[in-house]
Amino acid sequence: MIIKKYYLRIILLLILILSGIIAGYSLSRYNGYISNNSVEIDKSLQNKRQNVNEIKNNYSVRKKDKGVQEKNEINQKKDNLRNLNVNPIPRDSHKYAIQIVIYFFIFIFIFMLFYYLINNKGYKIHTKNISFIVFILLGIGFLLRLASVTLMEGFTYDIVCFKKWASVLSGGFTDVYKMKIPSDYPPLYMYILLIIGKIASFDNIGHYYVVLLKLPSIIADVATACIVFRVAKKYITIEMSILLSIFYVFNPAVFINSTLWGQVDSFFTLIIVLALFKLTENKIVFSSILFSIAVLMKPQGIIFLPILFFELFRKRNLKDIIKSALSCICTAIIIVLPFALKLGPLWIFRLYLNTMGEYKFATLNAFNLFQLLGANFQDDSETLFIFSYYNWGMISICLITLFSWLIYIKSQNSSYIFITALLLFAGVFTFSSRMHERYIFTSVALAILSYIYIRDNRLLVCAFFFSITSYVNTHIILYENSKVINSVEIATIVTMIISTINIFLFGYIIKILYDNIVKKKMVQINFVTNFKIH
């Protein structure tokens, strides 16, 4: 009887223990192979920058003379860049690509099954089990990431950069921006890499360098899933709250970005989610601090700054405006000052200008409108109809930002903060130039939280399809291009389909907002509550 009563908890606990054993076994047998040869890494990074610059110069030649010889030279440079190994890392790990695809389809099936059971069959979970179940599920998500983190070293160029920066930071704090090939990341994440570099310097830990580099994003995945649950249980049923939480933590799009690629988009997403959440809670100071941190984490954080302005404008409270401005400025000074003391007060502005101008291409493997038009890795100064790709992108950003502002003001409700952020972010990714494949990643969490606050069933559809587009975009670049840097030109039917879906999703979000704000109509889930699981 006891086993029958607690069978769900027993099963989950056994899975957690098994996950821990697998994670321990994987880590115990792990030997990282990232090169410690500083000269070799510097040469690789320099070659990469040189190839990028050569492609830019060749596109300038193409604008003057579109002869066959020049086009062939351009294609040759692209091939050189495509075949560039930035570090001799063994790549037999890319054989797991098929297994990841299988996991992707299994995840879709399981999510749809549980959604059906909750929505149509009214499955319930006894409230006494909630905290235990959520803790176990998130624990399983964390341990499975640790077990999988050794499957591949990650995206070569990014991992090499992070390791190089962490190593330099552990020896000289500001030297990371004085290197021959300096860091192009803003200073916030340099503090994280500093800690990683210090930890990795201890004996018997150095060979776990790649694991340490991926760990902040892995923790951020679990933390974001926890936030999803804590917010969701205030507005929707416990069952759906748990489902959305595990939808995020076991999502292949989330998993592949942090655990396999080794990128920091999960960490950035956590900051954005917290900033928007605190804004909905009217915690202006805390939210402003987090927005400032986001901008100093990645330049993409600038995309979200208008959301803070929208809310301040809606409230029209001078005290809040002053507190927000002071919070942003003080936070920026605290983060930037240790670097600025040695690099100069204008250093941070030069860094952002250089970073945002480093890859002047219509799209860099991002499956968006320009990808659909065949402009992948094409100089964004080239003309598309009347204007250049860059100008079209800037026009799009201005129009999308203005439209998002008008929609938010029309709503007169802070519950629309997340969906407005989703509209803005998805729009910029879809219609702006210089977008990378991973930038759409944050839309998954934004769509989930938009549903929680608006409770329109169509936002779950958005979360589902953003998961698909983000995963496919990342998978293709990571596995089809696992030996090279982030610049391969891909022209397949898959990229066209995914690009079209992203465009459609942007329009779908507009339709959802129109229905909810203008027509005052939403599509809701009708939950049946006649079955309980103990």
Side-chain angles (χ1 to χ4, degrees), residues 481-500:
N481 187 28
S482 61
K483 292 185 179 181
V484 297
I485 66 166
N486 191 15
S487 57
V488 67
E489 184 174 15
I490 300 169
T492 67
I493 187 63
V494 175
T495 65
M496 300 299 102
I497 292 173
I498 297 301
S499 300
T500 303

Side-chain angles (χ1 to χ4, degrees), residues 151-166:
L151 294 180
M152 66 181 296
E153 295 297 302
F155 195 87
T156 309
Y157 176 68
D158 289 346
I159 294 297
V160 168
C161 283
F162 290 149
K163 181 181 184 295
K164 177 66 177 178
W165 298 341

Side-chain angles (χ1 to χ4, degrees), residues 191-203:
Y191 291 97
I192 305 296
L193 291 178
L194 169 63
I195 296 172
I196 292 173
K198 292 292 186 182
I199 294 174
S201 65
F202 290 108
D203 294 337

Side-chain angles (χ1 to χ4, degrees), residues 323-514:
K323 288 193 297 183
S324 176
L326 289 176
S327 299
C328 288
I329 293 171
C330 291
T331 302
I333 290 174
I334 291 171
I335 294 173
V336 172
L337 188 60
F339 294 94
L341 288 175
K342 290 188 176 181
L343 300 173
L346 299 179
W347 153 79
I348 188 65
F349 300 103
R350 292 195 299 270
L351 175 67
Y352 274 89
L353 289 174
N354 292 336
T355 298
M356 291 188 288
E358 185 175 7
Y359 300 107
K360 298 180 179 180
F361 303 107
T363 176
L364 289 84
N365 301 325
F367 295 172
N368 56 15
L369 175 63
F370 292 151
Q371 177 75 236
L372 195 62
L373 297 175
N376 193 36
F377 215 69
Q378 186 165 327
D379 194 309
D380 67 358
S381 65
E382 289 197 353
T383 301
L384 175 67
F385 302 119
I386 304 173
F387 305 111
S388 66
Y389 288 101
Y390 176 77
N391 287 336
W392 278 119
M394 292 305 298
I395 292 170
S396 298
I397 290 174
C398 292
L399 292 176
I400 292 167
T401 303
L402 179 60
F403 179 74
S404 301
W405 183 17
L406 295 175
I407 285 289
Y408 187 71
I409 295 302
K410 177 71 174 177
S411 73
Q412 288 296 316
N413 192 336
S414 61
S415 296
Y416 285 83
I417 283 175
F418 274 99
I419 190 172
T420 305
L422 175 63
L423 175 71
L424 183 58
F425 191 69
V428 171
F429 174 84
T430 305
F431 300 104
S432 179
S433 64
R434 306 183 185 184
M435 293 290 111
H436 289 254
E437 67 288 320
R438 303 178 328 275
Y439 288 4
I440 194 64
F441 173 84
T442 305
S443 297
V444 177
L446 294 179
I448 293 172
L449 285 152
S450 296
Y451 164 74
I452 292 171
Y453 280 97
I454 306 300
R455 295 180 290 286
D456 189 308
N457 189 31
R458 291 170 295 180
L459 286 166
L460 287 180
V461 176
C462 290
F464 183 78
F465 278 99
F466 274 128
S467 298
I468 293 175
T469 61
S470 178
Y471 168 76
V472 173
N473 203 159
T474 305
H475 181 103
I476 288 177
I477 304 305
L478 177 60
Y479 284 106
E480 298 301 321
N481 187 28
S482 61
K483 292 185 179 181
V484 297
I485 66 166
N486 191 15
S487 57
V488 67
E489 184 174 15
I490 300 169
T492 67
I493 187 63
V494 175
T495 65
M496 300 299 102
I497 292 173
I498 297 301
S499 300
T500 303
I501 292 174
N502 279 328
I503 295 171
F504 171 80
L505 285 172
F506 176 75
Y508 196 50
I509 296 168
I510 293 177
K511 177 66 166 65
I512 295 170
L513 282 165
Y514 176 78

Side-chain angles (χ1 to χ4, degrees), residues 118-135:
I118 293 173
N119 187 36
N120 294 84
K121 296 298 182 180
Y123 276 29
K124 295 286 289 182
I125 298 175
H126 198 282
T127 54
K128 291 182 180 178
N129 298 335
I130 298 305
S131 298
F132 179 84
I133 288 174
V134 173
F135 175 80

Side-chain angles (χ1 to χ4, degrees), residues 251-310:
N251 196 311
V254 178
F255 181 84
I256 196 174
N257 188 292
S258 60
T259 307
L260 299 180
W261 186 301
Q263 252 295 340
V264 298
D265 300 288
S266 293
F267 199 87
F268 172 76
T269 297
L270 174 61
I271 297 171
I272 290 297
V273 165
L274 283 171
L276 296 172
F277 170 65
K278 291 302 177 182
L279 195 59
T280 63
E281 298 289 307
N282 199 31
K283 302 293 178 60
I284 296 297
V285 172
F286 197 3
S287 177
S288 299
I289 291 172
L290 289 166
F291 274 113
S292 184
I293 289 174
V295 173
L296 291 167
M297 162 76 188
K298 274 177 168 283
Q300 298 96 281
I302 297 172
I303 299 172
F304 292 97
L305 276 183
I307 303 297
L308 177 60
F309 168 77
F310 296 166

